[in-house]
Amino acid sequence: MVYSEECDFIFRLKGILEFACQLDNPNGVQSQSTISKSFQDLRSKVTSKNIVFTVCNSPVLIWPNTGFQSSVESLTEASACGDILQWIESDDGGSKKSSKKKDKKKSGPTVVNMKLLFEVTEPAGNTAPSLIRVSTQQHCVKMPLPLDCALSVTTDERLETVCTGLVEALNKQLADMEEVVLQYRKGSSFLVPQPFHFQLPEPAGLITVVYPAGVPDSQLQAVREDLHRKFELPCDRPYLRRANAFHFPDAAYKDGYLRNPHIHLNPPNIEDAKLYLVQGVYSYHHYMQDHVDDNGWGCAYRSLQTICSWFQQQGYVETAVPTHTQIQQALVDVGDKEPRFVGSRQWIGSIEVQAVLNQLLGVTSKIMFVSQGSELATKGRELANHFQTEGTPVMIGGGVLAHTILGVVWSENTGQIRFLILDPHYTGGEDLQTITDKGWCGWKGPEFWDQNAYYNLCLPQRPKSI
Amino acid sequence: MGRSYFVDEAVEEYLVGIQTAPGSCVTGLLAGQSSPQRDFVVLAVQTPHRESEGQPKASRGVSPLDDIDVEWVTEHAKQVSRMLPGGLCILGLFLVTPPELSKDAQNALKRLIFAMDKYITKGRLWELSEEDVTDQVTLHICSKTKKYPLHSLQLLPYIKLSAKHLISAKPADWKYQTGVSSSWPMLSCSVEVDVQIPVTGSSSDITDKCMKDGLRRWAKQIEAACCLINGRHALDDSELVSGQKKNPKTTHRQTLPARIFVSDEQAELDERSSALVQVCSGSVKVRGVVHCRAYIHNNKPKARHAAQAIKRDIINTVCHRVEMFLEDLLINEGSHKGLCSGQQALPRRVFAPVPVSGLSVCDYMFPDESTADVAERLKEMLDCKTPEEDIDTSLEGNQLFSNVCGSEITESPSDDSSKHVFSEVQTENPKNQKAPQYYAGVAITAAVALLATATSLLYFNE
């Protein structure tokens, strides 16, 4: 989740436009041009004087196609887009910037949500209504198109430019949607084209791709390959699967798990040391979640869940994060455990984690063995390399505890090292403040480990796919 | 404690001036606006005399109260409610009886209110919200004592509970005031309507059901739409700012322009991953511009109530004219015909001021009608004389098109009374048509009354 440093705002415009057309013969040659004509009509609608952008949670209405008019006098063509903020009522009253502690970092760009509307008043003519009846047999097709355009801009960008940009984006999105609809149409079966936003490395930035609903990622490989080529993206890791879609900073995650709590921490300041962190997004899994009381025995399971959530959110797998029972069943299925293991409270270790990752997700992992906890301080290079190349969370088990390592700060010269630890033993609720303040996610020194116990680390490897 | 009613003095004058034959009863409507705290009554209209067809009915019941033509009263109420712009509605009924019938008057009124409310709300495309007041007032006037301050007030508010009607009577407060509505702002707008409705069968029953469903979807869009009144958002609980100084001396009525913004969002469709495809036998489009008006009281009204009033007017005006068109078709064509192909003009809306209060009422003019017909209807339905030149026909444009009804056009019967809509604009000299059309108007209204009940059941059965 690396934001372009220059981008202060993301203007997001959403709206539903109903696509409708009447086909005499869905399999006939005429149907394609009828469909295209309907899309053309929608594009005209979007460039007409009747479209209006309304800024959510504010009284602001903007008419972008009439030389920029707004319902609020102080917002004119020349206004900077940042001026819009004073009109928006924020519902959390700034709780994003919750702590004054030095440890907390600032959050990403501000999202301004807008909705697309059409004016039905102020018509061009005033002819009273008629009833028009058509009696030919037809296939009537109706489909709501979920338009969703996003623009990243800086504070001083003019509001007018932003709005013109959004209208252009709408037009382009309709063209993309037309292409997808035509490509995946079978007779009178139409798939809804759905837009997804992706934050790509600069210079591409925030882009939008339209995918047909219901077609799984596995069948869209060729489309992604084209796009990887177009945007010069590496061909061994996914950027454009649906799971990779950009998560807007103001959107809550529906499942309620915290994402990447570590970003709210400042790494320790060690001279001459570099920071090596987990890449991408994971969810924090810990004791007592999902109404499962695993206090005292489930820590490795939770660490495994955190790892599975990483693979899911980076788009490598579509399966949901497994439950304790599913994890246990997987171990029985591979012959590692007896059937009565399922439903028990038995601990698991790194080897079992490796086995389950392989069985349920098809992911391979490397195992690193450390005979004494004190030796972990010497594993800086291996861990640094791991985070740089694979960037996956690491499960570490030893003594009587299991933890997840999310990164290291390591100096090649002095050998000084700190570990970023995500602790699955937390039993409270999803309270970011408590979790970071009390160190349930925090930076620890080498003394954190039991100096005499032996440890096994499971280092999951990224599959090479897009 | 019941509700408070502020009643215009003109209404008092009207009620006092009602002539009754000795021993008989007179019924009538009370119309105005409801607000959460109080109601305003601005219009009273007695039920017009019904031209009887054939022999007059022999007196059935023991008392003249039993002779009250419930059907006719409710039909009158329906016609009048179509003539009221947004914000105004029927608030109740009055009944003038001789003193000896006073004690039975309440029951008669209850029956009438019941029947009337049920009839008027059938086929309505918008839902009542929790805030809507559903109380109806019944006013009993003793013909002997009416010249004196009304002390025989009995008001009967009732609350609807889903399908069952629960009636509880409470006395209410009835105060007369001058110029109750004189400073009420009027919201207005012209709305472009373009509704495409697929029709999945060919019988007229199915066509009508499809049309109703299609219009209901459109009505939901309008209800959910964003509204600007006089340039400001009509959201939340803010007060409507009309920019008008409260000076009791000025009776200047402000016109507030309203603007409506819709989105195509329909909750039930949004979760689909594929398009909705229906095999249709055709489609019906309603297309054109409607002019809408609504009044809002000026006792600290909320902006969203004003928005609701104008939105309901938009929905009602489209719904009413389609209903009227179909009713007309039913009378002239018979139920087997249904709509034919091609373009047909719906009746267009005209406005006229009511004397004294100056509020606008409206009527719908079929293409072959003239302002004279409108004036007749206003006289008959609203008991008010409006000079023809005051009837404003300019707000909605005439539909002029030469496209006639497909190849199914039949010769219109030479019956002059037909209000046919087969499109060629009639250029007959309106004067020649005048006399036959007046009687025709009444006969049609009677026929509509008889058939309209059937119409409601047939076309708009819930």
Side-chain angles (χ1 to χ4, degrees):
Chain A
M1 274 189 341
V2 176
Y3 300 117
S4 157
E5 287 308 300
E6 284 96 60
C7 145
D8 309 297
F9 286 98
I10 300 179
F11 279 79
R12 187 179 190 188
L13 175 68
K14 287 168 77 168
I16 305 275
L17 253 191
E18 192 176 70
F19 166 83
C21 76
Q22 288 79 45
L23 297 175
D24 293 329
N25 174 9
N27 294 312
V29 286
Q30 271 297 86
S31 48
Q32 175 152 335
S33 56
T34 312
I35 294 167
S36 292
K37 165 102 187 16
S38 291
F39 269 102
Q40 180 57 38
D41 290 342
L42 289 177
R43 284 199 287 274
S44 303
K45 207 172 169 190
V46 151
T47 44
S48 75
K49 291 192 181 329
N50 290 332
I51 73 156
V52 170
F53 296 162
T54 175
V55 179
C56 299
N57 296 328
S58 85
V60 180
L61 282 171
I62 299 174
W63 286 256
N65 292 334
T66 55
F68 192 89
Q69 275 178 44
S70 94
S71 65
V72 168
E73 268 173 36
S74 59
L75 286 175
T76 65
E77 291 174 358
S79 303
C81 61
D83 290 350
I84 216 167
L85 285 183
Q86 55 184 284
W87 295 99
I88 301 178
E89 279 169 31
S90 64
D91 30 38
D92 49 59
S95 69
K96 273 182 208 164
K97 306 204 170 40
S98 51
S99 163
K100 299 192 186 73
K101 275 194 178 179
K102 286 180 288 195
D103 278 353
K104 304 299 179 359
K105 278 193 177 160
K106 102 172 176 62
S107 49
T110 313
V111 179
V112 176
N113 288 301
M114 296 165 96
K115 210 170 147 192
L116 178 65
L117 295 176
F118 290 90
E119 178 163 13
V120 291
T121 39
E122 316 266 317
N126 76 339
T127 312
S130 319
L131 216 56
I132 303 159
R133 172 98 161 99
V134 168
S135 298
T136 45
Q137 179 100 358
Q138 293 175 320
H139 286 75
C140 275
V141 181
K142 276 199 211 250
M143 184 162 61
L145 299 177
L147 294 170
D148 188 347
C149 297
L151 273 185
S152 288
V153 291
T154 53
T155 324
D156 49 344
E157 188 71 79
R158 284 190 341 171
L159 197 50
E160 190 214 358
T161 320
V162 171
C163 291
T164 317
L166 285 170
V167 172
E168 269 169 31
L170 282 174
N171 245 300
K172 171 157 193 311
Q173 193 160 98
L174 282 169
D176 289 344
M177 287 182 164
E178 181 183 344
E179 223 181 281
V180 166
V181 165
L182 289 173
Q183 188 180 354
Y184 290 89
R185 177 179 79 100
K186 290 191 174 56
S188 62
S189 159
F190 288 70
L191 295 179
V192 175
Q194 292 173 331
F196 290 87
H197 304 293
F198 300 97
Q199 179 83 32
L200 299 182
E202 294 295 320
L206 195 61
I207 65 151
T208 311
V209 180
V210 176
Y211 286 133
V215 175
D217 281 333
S218 47
Q219 288 176 30
L220 294 168
Q221 179 88 8
V223 175
R224 288 197 300 278
E225 279 167 6
D226 274 346
L227 289 169
H228 273 242
R229 262 192 300 273
K230 178 176 171 197
F231 291 107
E232 294 175 349
L233 298 170
C235 287
D236 63 348
R237 52 177 62 186
Y239 281 89
L240 298 168
R241 287 176 167 251
R242 289 184 176 97
N244 299 120
F246 180 63
H247 177 80
F248 286 84
D250 62 336
Y253 286 96
K254 289 185 192 133
D255 55 22
Y257 298 112
L258 289 177
R259 298 318 199 257
N260 291 24
H262 71 272
I263 61 168
H264 300 272
L265 303 173
N266 276 327
N269 205 352
I270 306 276
E271 199 179 312
D272 204 25
K274 287 208 191 99
L275 175 66
Y276 305 89
L277 275 184
V278 64
Q279 298 170 32
V281 184
Y282 62 86
S283 308
Y284 181 22
H285 289 265
H286 59 80
Y287 278 170
M288 309 302 284
Q289 279 177 343
D290 322 310
H291 308 293
V292 174
D293 182 351
D294 58 335
N295 193 350
W297 60 274
C299 46
Y301 292 80
R302 297 296 184 180
S303 178
L304 173 52
Q305 284 178 334
T306 297
I307 294 172
C308 291
S309 79
W310 187 94
F311 281 95
Q312 184 208 30
Q313 291 178 83
Q314 261 49 247
Y316 288 102
V317 297
E318 280 167 23
T319 49
V321 170
T323 61
H324 290 59
T325 313
Q326 287 168 332
I327 292 168
Q328 289 174 333
Q329 187 61 50
L331 287 167
V332 171
D333 292 345
V334 296
D336 189 71
K337 299 280 185 240
E338 296 292 307
R340 58 188 155 82
F341 180 62
V342 181
S344 72
R345 294 172 167 204
Q346 284 188 47
W347 298 352
I348 57 176
S350 311
I351 307 298
E352 285 85 356
V353 169
Q354 177 190 43
V356 174
L357 285 174
N358 188 41
Q359 171 70 1
L360 292 181
L361 271 54
V363 164
T364 54
S365 320
K366 290 194 179 145
I367 298 288
M368 187 198 292
F369 171 73
V370 166
S371 55
Q372 282 176 205
S374 46
E375 247 179 73
L376 267 166
T378 66
K379 297 296 181 186
R381 184 179 304 279
E382 285 89 337
L383 289 168
N385 280 343
H386 170 82
F387 287 112
Q388 258 187 335
T389 5
E390 307 301 326
T392 57
V394 170
M395 177 266 175
I396 176 168
V400 293
L401 303 173
H403 290 93
T404 312
I405 304 179
L406 296 174
V408 288
V409 156
W410 175 66
S411 163
E412 193 167 350
N413 297 331
T414 66
Q416 287 223 54
I417 188 169
R418 298 283 183 280
F419 303 87
L420 178 56
I421 303 294
L422 187 67
D423 197 335
H425 301 91
Y426 172 62
T427 53
E430 312 315 316
D431 178 0
L432 182 60
Q433 185 89 34
T434 307
I435 288 163
T436 47
D437 283 354
K438 304 284 188 209
W440 295 103
C441 175
W443 288 95
K444 316 286 181 192
E447 65 284 359
F448 178 73
W449 311 109
D450 182 340
Q451 304 294 296
N452 299 316
Y454 70 84
Y455 284 89
N456 269 327
L457 292 82
C458 174
L459 290 77
Q461 307 294 297
R462 278 183 187 256
K464 302 265 180 285
S465 69
I466 62 165
Chain B
M1 233 347 254
R3 297 183 60 76
S4 293
Y5 289 84
F6 284 76
V7 186
D8 199 290
E9 276 179 0
V11 169
E12 185 188 15
E13 273 178 43
Y14 183 87
L15 293 173
V16 160
I18 292 179
Q19 308 290 330
T20 51
S24 73
C25 309
V26 172
T27 53
L29 307 170
L30 296 163
Q33 177 162 127
S34 274
S35 79
Q37 293 86 26
R38 58 184 68 90
D39 291 6
F40 304 92
V41 180
V42 297
L43 189 67
V45 187
Q46 68 176 24
T47 311
H49 181 55
R50 185 179 195 169
E51 300 259 331
S52 47
E53 315 152 332
Q55 322 97 312
K57 285 201 240 236
S59 202
R60 286 175 290 148
V62 174
S63 94
L65 282 175
D66 295 325
D67 282 343
I68 295 175
D69 190 343
V70 179
E71 239 174 59
W72 186 236
V73 172
T74 57
E75 181 55 36
H76 177 230
K78 182 161 191 161
Q79 300 289 325
V80 169
S81 67
R82 282 179 177 169
M83 293 172 137
L84 297 174
L88 300 180
C89 59
I90 308 280
L91 288 179
L93 294 173
F94 66 82
L95 175 65
V96 184
T97 67
E100 56 274 19
L101 295 173
S102 294
K103 58 177 170 34
D104 296 320
Q106 267 317 303
N107 285 331
L109 278 168
K110 270 190 205 174
R111 275 185 288 132
L112 283 173
I113 287 275
F114 235 61
M116 177 189 78
D117 189 73
K118 199 163 162 191
Y119 189 53
I120 293 186
T121 54
K122 242 185 165 51
R124 192 159 66 190
L125 290 178
W126 45 268
E127 299 293 323
L128 283 174
S129 70
E130 279 149 14
E131 289 184 304
D132 279 307
V133 174
T134 51
D135 293 8
Q136 296 279 299
V137 64
T138 59
L139 182 63
H140 171 235
I141 303 168
C142 173
S143 56
K144 201 162 149 206
T145 58
K146 63 183 172 176
K147 288 197 170 34
Y148 299 93
L150 297 162
H151 57 256
S152 58
L153 302 232
Q154 281 176 35
L155 291 114
L156 192 70
Y158 73 96
I159 295 122
K160 272 201 266 283
L161 292 176
S162 63
K164 279 182 143 192
H165 293 247
L166 187 70
I167 301 180
S168 67
K170 282 181 224 160
D173 211 26
W174 188 263
K175 286 199 219 348
Y176 286 112
Q177 283 187 335
T178 355
V180 166
S181 65
S182 54
S183 329
W184 286 5
M186 181 181 85
L187 303 160
S188 92
C189 59
S190 286
V191 178
E192 174 128 33
V193 178
D194 188 0
V195 189
Q196 167 96 6
I197 304 170
V199 172
T200 51
S202 47
S203 77
S204 59
D205 277 359
I206 296 189
T207 308
D208 291 328
K209 179 175 185 311
C210 288
M211 280 181 66
K212 191 187 183 200
D213 288 343
L215 286 175
R216 202 183 253 140
R217 278 186 67 207
W218 168 80
K220 281 207 166 72
Q221 265 190 348
I222 298 285
E223 273 189 298
C226 171
C227 179
L228 278 188
I229 298 179
N230 213 18
R232 293 165 71 111
H233 248 283
L235 289 173
D236 56 50
D237 270 351
S238 58
E239 266 184 40
L240 181 68
V241 174
S242 59
Q244 190 183 18
K245 291 201 202 116
K246 272 216 166 156
N247 183 350
K249 294 220 171 75
T250 60
T251 49
H252 168 63
R253 191 192 302 286
Q254 255 212 331
T255 304
L256 302 175
R259 295 178 86 158
I260 307 279
F261 306 89
V262 301
S263 107
D264 280 346
E265 224 155 314
Q266 299 257 321
E268 70 278 1
L269 283 179
D270 289 351
E271 300 307 316
R272 299 179 64 92
S273 60
S274 60
L276 181 66
V277 183
Q278 290 170 295
V279 177
C280 309
S281 65
S283 64
V284 174
K285 268 192 262 241
V286 178
R287 195 184 264 175
V289 176
V290 295
H291 186 79
C292 304
R293 287 190 178 168
Y295 289 98
I296 190 82
H297 64 90
N298 58 348
N299 182 37
K300 294 203 173 78
K302 295 234 166 76
R304 59 193 168 81
H305 291 150
Q308 193 180 62
I310 190 77
K311 284 180 189 176
R312 285 177 176 175
D313 190 66
I314 298 170
I315 298 171
N316 283 340
T317 184
V318 171
C319 178
H320 290 160
R321 37 185 118 190
V322 171
E323 272 177 16
M324 292 170 70
F325 178 80
L326 293 176
E327 284 163 11
D328 186 63
L329 210 55
L330 180 68
I331 296 169
N332 293 298
E333 294 290 292
S335 58
H336 60 279
K337 257 309 191 147
L339 285 172
C340 62
S341 299
Q343 188 169 4
Q344 293 157 76
L346 289 171
R348 66 189 174 105
R349 199 179 197 186
V350 300
F351 289 86
V354 159
V356 182
S357 70
L359 291 171
S360 279
V361 288
C362 69
D363 191 24
Y364 293 93
M365 224 164 81
F366 280 83
D368 54 349
E369 292 186 315
S370 69
T371 49
D373 301 301
V374 175
E376 302 287 3
R377 276 199 288 274
L378 288 173
K379 174 82 190 72
E380 190 189 344
M381 292 291 138
L382 293 178
D383 206 6
C384 69
K385 285 191 175 55
T386 308
E388 271 183 61
E389 54 270 16
D390 284 355
I391 297 174
D392 191 351
T393 59
S394 66
L395 295 155
E396 288 186 4
N398 220 331
Q399 305 100 318
L400 294 168
F401 39 78
S402 55
N403 184 16
V404 240
C405 179
S407 55
E408 295 173 82
I409 186 172
T410 53
E411 297 302 329
S412 0
S414 53
D415 177 3
D416 290 338
S417 66
S418 85
K419 286 200 258 177
H420 260 186
V421 181
F422 293 127
S423 48
E424 289 191 315
V425 176
Q426 312 281 337
T427 50
E428 277 114 37
N429 189 339
K431 281 212 169 69
N432 294 345
Q433 296 288 313
K434 196 174 170 182
Q437 277 190 342
Y438 171 67
Y439 293 115
V442 175
I444 287 294
T445 319
V448 165
L450 275 171
L451 284 169
T453 320
T455 306
S456 310
L457 293 170
L458 186 68
Y459 291 157
F460 300 112
N461 233 338
E462 299 293 349

